[in-house]
Amino acid sequence: MGYAALGVTPVLRGALYGLGPVVMGIYLVAVYRLGNAAMSTRSQVLIAIAAAVVALASPLGVAGILLLAGGVGLWLFHSRKLGAAVLASLAACLAVVHILARSASVPGVVATPGDPLAASLVQVGAFLLKVGALTFGGGLTMIAFMQEQVVSQFHWLTPQEFLDGLALGQFTPGPILMVAAYVGYKVAGVPGALIGGGAAFLPSFVMMLAILPALDRVRKLVWTRAALRGIAPAVIGILAVSLVRLAPYALPDLFAIATLVATVVVLMVWRVATLKVMLLGAVLGIARSRLFAFPGAKAVLSTVTRA
């Protein structure tokens, strides 16, 4: 609500300008550290690269890529016969879903960035319920899935608004998935925020209560571990693509790029608390916006930067 009321004010825009590259730096460091843990073999590195290429060059969504990566994990790390059968079944199911989705689409109703698709509370809740059900392996997985749907497909948010939501989600207490409430509010106000936040978290509670009695047994199954060894590097590849797509909005100029580099260095070398780095980024962003408010300041800063 504060973002909706104050998002266009110079102070908050300046703070979000400074937070953008800081959040990008935080996610870069997180993806790097997760990648070290998720990619211990050459095969897993290749899975990550393949997932990134498919995410960039094909209409296959995040969920489909992760499912196929799980099948590849079964094929590589458990059983070639079972893995091939799973991959063939998944490919057939995804092809049928794609054909049905194309046949169900009505010409002329595809949204453009300036014409977002209208959404009811039921549609918002159903979408964020799906996000909650498919967000596994850490909340970072949500970034790619939500960006694909909310920004690229439904156009409920612009890329800049989505980046602002990630910055606010990092800056405030709670898990990253709480961005679901931000999306719900942007689409349908306070009811959308309540339903969106609840829908995003509901699947995790339901699934945990359902599998809790057998959790240890399921977690130790050989095929489960093999599938996850394929999914984990695919998540890294998809996240890398999401960060690349957000980069033009988080890094509009050299000052933002320098802030990103400084954030990565600080987090990697000194391991400073992320909240402190974000506060500093917000202060720098506000200071820069105030500096640019003075006549001639922009031209002087540009001359100094070129020099």
Side-chain angles (χ1 to χ4, degrees), residues 17 21 250-262 288 292 301-307:
Y17 165 84
L251 309 171
D253 52 37
L254 289 177
F255 185 88
I257 294 173
T259 304
L260 168 69
V261 173
R288 178 187 176 278
F292 270 51
L301 189 57
S302 300
T303 303
V304 173
T305 303
R306 286 196 299 270

Side-chain angles (χ1 to χ4, degrees), residues 120-136:
S120 66
L121 286 175
V122 174
Q123 290 170 317
V124 173
F127 166 70
L128 292 170
L129 187 74
K130 181 171 65 173
V131 170
L134 295 174
T135 299
F136 60 95

Side-chain angles (χ1 to χ4, degrees), residues 41-74:
T41 66
R42 185 178 300 175
S43 299
Q44 289 176 306
V45 174
L46 292 175
I47 290 174
I49 295 172
V53 171
V54 172
L56 279 171
S58 80
L60 191 62
V62 172
I65 294 173
L66 295 182
L67 287 171
L68 290 174
V72 172
L74 286 174

Side-chain angles (χ1 to χ4, degrees), residues 151-208:
V151 177
S152 303
Q153 183 173 338
F154 301 140
H155 302 296
W156 290 345
L157 274 68
T158 65
Q160 186 62 56
E161 288 173 334
F162 185 69
L163 180 64
D164 292 344
L166 294 180
L168 293 170
Q170 279 287 335
F171 198 69
T172 53
I176 301 172
L177 189 55
M178 211 52 231
V179 173
Y182 168 85
V183 173
Y185 184 83
K186 289 290 293 181
V187 175
V190 174
L194 294 172
I195 290 175
F201 282 94
L202 180 62
S204 58
F205 287 97
V206 173
M207 287 187 285
M208 284 305 300

Side-chain angles (χ1 to χ4, degrees), residues 21 23 42 54 70 73 78 96 109 116 120 137 187 198 222 224 257 271 283 293 304-305:
V23 169
R42 185 178 300 175
V54 172
H78 178 48
V96 170
V109 300
S120 66
V187 175
V222 175
T224 304
I257 294 173
R271 295 181 178 267
V283 170
V304 173
T305 303

